[in-house]
Amino acid sequence: MLYLMDIWDSVRGFMASGGDVLWLVAAVLFLMWVLMLERYWYLNLIAPKEHKNIITAWDNREDSTSWHAHRIREAWVSQAKQDMNARMLIIKTLVAICPMIGLLGTVTGMIQVFDVMAVHGTSNARMMAAGISMATMPTMAGMVAALSGVFFSTRLDAKMKISMEKLKDSLPHH
């Protein structure tokens, strides 16, 4: 329990040095990861069952060569693709927003530095350092959040494309 309290104190200290904008970065990062984990869960547990049902339904069709049958196949593949790509646009948007929120932290931190300079002059380096920390910490956090999001969302996209190609290959054109 003491270990968890030490971790919480470290996190609180980090968040305090980065200002309120860092909490916004953390909230966006949390939402992004919840959505990505949900997509990984869907891709690995739900989609294979749905694809198996589609393949079974296609194999059980008597007519798989007519124009009408091909439109049904296209509709099933399209629906599977739509289900697979659900929430991916939100994930990619959150990834793109992370650096922008970090830059917002930079601006608010620099405003604090300029306020200190206006009130106390340039002689109080300690007070200016707090503002500079608030300017750089959210930028770093936003970039790290975006990099992790780019890496994992790209991997997720690639796995989804492979899964869709396997589904298409399992539904032969006759």
Side-chain angles (χ1 to χ4, degrees):
M1 185 66 174
L2 187 61
Y3 180 71
L4 290 176
M5 291 180 68
D6 287 343
I7 291 174
W8 177 246
D9 286 341
S10 296
V11 169
R12 269 195 5 221
F14 177 76
M15 297 304 266
S17 68
D20 292 337
V21 174
L22 209 47
W23 288 104
L24 183 58
V25 171
V28 169
L29 180 64
F30 178 77
L31 179 60
M32 178 180 69
W33 273 100
V34 164
L35 292 173
M36 280 197 290
L37 289 173
E38 184 274 336
R39 287 288 85 194
Y40 273 109
W41 173 76
Y42 177 83
L43 183 64
N44 292 313
L45 297 176
I46 305 299
K49 293 174 187 171
E50 290 180 354
H51 292 185
K52 185 178 179 183
N53 290 340
I54 292 170
I55 294 165
T56 302
W58 180 256
D59 288 342
N60 290 337
R61 284 186 56 83
E62 290 181 21
D63 173 27
S64 61
T65 58
S66 70
W67 178 88
H68 183 69
H70 287 284
R71 299 303 77 80
I72 290 172
R73 178 188 181 277
E74 287 174 10
W76 289 349
V77 168
S78 179
Q79 183 63 50
K81 185 175 183 178
Q82 186 176 354
D83 292 344
M84 182 125 3
N85 286 322
R87 289 175 283 293
M88 284 305 293
L89 183 59
I90 296 170
I91 291 169
K92 290 177 181 182
T93 301
L94 292 173
V95 168
I97 286 174
C98 284
M100 298 302 139
I101 296 171
L103 289 174
L104 175 65
T106 300
V107 171
T108 57
M110 292 311 296
I111 288 171
Q112 184 175 352
V113 170
F114 293 137
D115 283 346
V116 167
M117 289 172 64
V119 173
H120 300 285
T122 58
S123 61
N124 194 336
R126 188 170 287 205
M127 290 183 83
M128 287 178 20
I132 292 171
S133 175
M134 282 191 181
T136 56
M137 297 299 271
T139 304
M140 177 202 60
M143 292 298 184
V144 168
L147 286 174
S148 71
V150 165
F151 178 74
F152 285 102
S153 68
T154 302
R155 285 185 49 96
L156 193 56
D157 256 346
K159 285 181 176 240
M160 287 180 175
K161 287 178 182 169
I162 290 169
S163 179
M164 287 307 302
E165 288 303 316
K166 285 181 181 177
L167 175 62
K168 289 177 187 176
D169 290 345
S170 297
L171 302 174
H173 291 280
H174 292 284

